[in-house]
Amino acid sequence: TVIAITTFFAGLGLVGPSRASIISTLEPAVTVALAAAILNEAITIEQLLGGALILAAVILLQLNLRGKGSIQL
């Protein structure tokens, strides 16, 4: 945990808070993918749908950063 937090804060200084928050949004999807690849964990449909929602959120956040506007829902 100490190494993860230390590297997160080091990266935060390099890429800035906005990009760091977007990158950290991908953490759950990467964790599930690594568990499947390394530990041979089974991925359920719910996990796939959750991963798709996470990726959609990251895309929306990126589009919002490029447009510098707010997303109106």
Side-chain angles (χ1 to χ4, degrees):
T1 303
V2 173
I3 293 171
I5 295 294
T6 303
T7 56
F8 175 77
F9 283 121
L12 181 66
L14 293 174
V15 299
S18 295
R19 290 198 185 268
S21 66
I22 291 171
I23 292 168
S24 67
T25 305
L26 290 171
E27 220 171 297
V30 171
T31 302
V32 170
L34 287 175
I38 296 171
L39 303 174
N40 293 324
E41 290 282 329
I43 298 178
T44 65
I45 189 70
E46 291 86 2
Q47 290 169 320
L48 289 174
L49 291 173
L53 288 173
I54 291 169
L55 292 176
V58 170
I59 291 168
L60 284 174
L61 289 170
Q62 278 291 354
L63 292 173
N64 190 33
L65 280 179
R66 287 190 185 142
K68 301 290 186 202
S70 61
I71 296 175
Q72 300 293 325
L73 299 177

